Amino acid sequence: MNFASLPDRRASLDPDGAAVSDGRQALTNVQLLRRVQAATRHLQDLGIGPGDVVALKLTNRVEFVLLLFASWRLGATITPVNPSMTDVEVARQLKDSRARLLVSEDGEAAVADGTAVLAVGELRDDAAAEPDEAPLPDPSTLALLIYTSGTTGVPKGVMLDHANIDAMADMGRQALEVGPADRCLLILPLFHVNGIVVSTLVPLLAGASVTIADRFNPQTFFDVVERERPTFFSAVPTIYSMLAALPDQVRPDTSSLRFGVCGAAPASAELLTRFEARYGFPLVEGYGLSEGTCGSTINPVAGPRRAGTVGLPFPGQEIRIVDADGSEVPPGADGEVVVRGPNVMRGYLGRPEETAKVIVDRWLHTGDVGRLDADGYLTLVGRSKDMIIRGGENIYPKEIEDVLVGDPSVLEAAVIGVPDEKWGEVVVAYVQPRPGSAVDPSALQSRCARSLTGFKRPTAFFVVDAIPKNPVGKIDKVSLRAAHAEVSARS
């Protein structure tokens, strides 16, 4: 599917059908097309053309979707920016991506030299203007540049071309059995690849509609469900845990929902079973990563769902489990999860060596440890990286450790994830002072607040005489986690 022309196709097939809405506006298919055409001309007048990068630092709103399609019609690339990022983080992404334009919420100041800024409220919406012709971009044209942290601590730009998103959206449509009668409730952030691909492009490709919800609130979520009558939505385990913890007297009408997708972090089989028993619709757990354009496995919507697993490969993808030498292991044996398919990213922007490490013979090496059963269902058993997952957000300790050791009083820092009932994991930091120095945790807290997004900031700082090391002199996070758990159990 050529997504640049998807608004045209929808307007032709069903002009007055519902397309996309948020709390401020609701667009039919023909209105979506006209607004996309107006946004395209606006970007063009600002000098945006083929190969340019447009950064969107926006909350979830209709304009995000308009700018996606408008940029693609011009052969440009979208890089989503988390609105909660610090100015330091935003400037780094804008510089690395070489963004020509940043579209931000009204009233925000510019954060990087050399990047033009457009306030979203100024986006042209002249629906009566002369219509344009939908182009046919080359499938290898870069569509999305999704930034994800790496083990080096430096965020990397995951390059997803039109062939990637075309393949992933069609895979999602097939696996989730989405059709024109569906309505997706979008509650995940649009700066995540799931929000763009699974919650927006999949339903729009299938002829369905998208309702963009305000910021998730467990107290009002089911009010939105009862009012909007969606047929499915995607969320992370933390959201399902919050909903499962609502008072027993909360008994909403969920009859419109066919299923909920659960991903981005491991969920317990107990949570999935308990949630479905209470609310009457199934949760289908899946697994994927940005480098694979979002999803690689999913439990079947209509077929056998196996709680505790993350399901079967999406149509058109292959999953293998390999040992340290790259040899495939038999069913039931643990090893690294590797993925192959047309959804696998082009690579990391400007990082050919790192790309070559994770994509070997077209197989994407995820760094996750899992096993396949005899029927091909994947179970994740661990992470070979030190990644922390807080409420579905991926956090790499090295990025935080680099901020902490930048303090002149800190000799060394080790960041770990510790269990948390609400978020799954939260960040804590262990710091070792420089000789003759005293560490001030409140100063470290302020330092993190200046450089790190809120969810990356440690919830606690522990000042220790020495950070444990393994026999080869590397920080031993296994023993650090064990010691932390032991202390926590005693307290």
Side-chain angles (χ1 to χ4, degrees), residues 215-238:
R215 187 180 180 89
F216 173 76
N217 180 343
Q219 306 301 324
T220 60
F221 173 76
F222 284 119
D223 294 336
V224 177
V225 168
E226 291 180 342
R227 182 178 69 249
E228 301 294 343
R229 306 294 292 167
T231 59
F232 75 98
F233 65 95
S234 293
V236 297
T238 297

Side-chain angles (χ1 to χ4, degrees), residues 393-408:
E393 296 282 0
N394 294 347
I395 304 168
Y396 288 86
K398 184 67 164 56
E399 182 181 4
I400 306 166
E401 291 162 355
D402 286 349
V403 171
L404 295 175
V405 297
D407 187 286

Side-chain angles (χ1 to χ4, degrees), residues 148-199:
T148 179
S149 294
T151 51
T152 62
V154 179
K156 302 187 293 290
V158 174
M159 297 188 292
L160 303 176
D161 58 26
H162 279 273
N164 292 144
I165 64 170
D166 290 357
M168 187 71 249
D170 192 53
M171 291 172 181
R173 179 188 60 79
Q174 293 180 58
L176 299 176
E177 302 179 15
V178 180
D182 280 302
R183 173 180 289 190
C184 177
L185 179 64
L186 171 58
I187 60 174
L188 293 178
L190 275 166
F191 58 80
H192 276 189
V193 70
N194 181 293
I196 294 174
V197 177
V198 174
S199 298

Side-chain angles (χ1 to χ4, degrees), residues 306 311-313 331 372-378:
R306 296 187 181 177
L312 299 165
L372 290 171
D373 66 19
D375 297 319
Y377 285 75
L378 175 64

